[in-house]
């Protein structure tokens, strides 16, 4: 299970992306941009941890 634990980072990125879409729909541009930035951080972390998991 530990070798696939990086998937939670990708799930988190999707959740933050959905949150950004909801904020954008509600008209809160500042919150939407912040959520997109956090989503990109989660995506970058997922890629990093995936690379580490595949090396083992």
């Amino acid at each position: 299970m530990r070798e696939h634990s990086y998937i939670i980072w990708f799930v988190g990125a999707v959740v933050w992306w959905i949150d950004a879409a909801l904020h954008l729909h509600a008209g809160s541009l500042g919150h939407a941009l912040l959520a997109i930035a956090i989503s990109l951080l989660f995506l970058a972390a997922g890629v990093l941890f995936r690379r580490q998991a595949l090396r083992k």
Side-chain angles (χ1 to χ4, degrees), residues 8-31:
I8 192 68
W9 291 100
F10 292 118
V11 172
V14 170
V15 169
W16 277 105
W17 190 261
I18 292 169
D19 185 57
L22 291 174
H23 278 295
L24 195 58
H25 182 69
S28 180
L29 182 62
H31 287 248

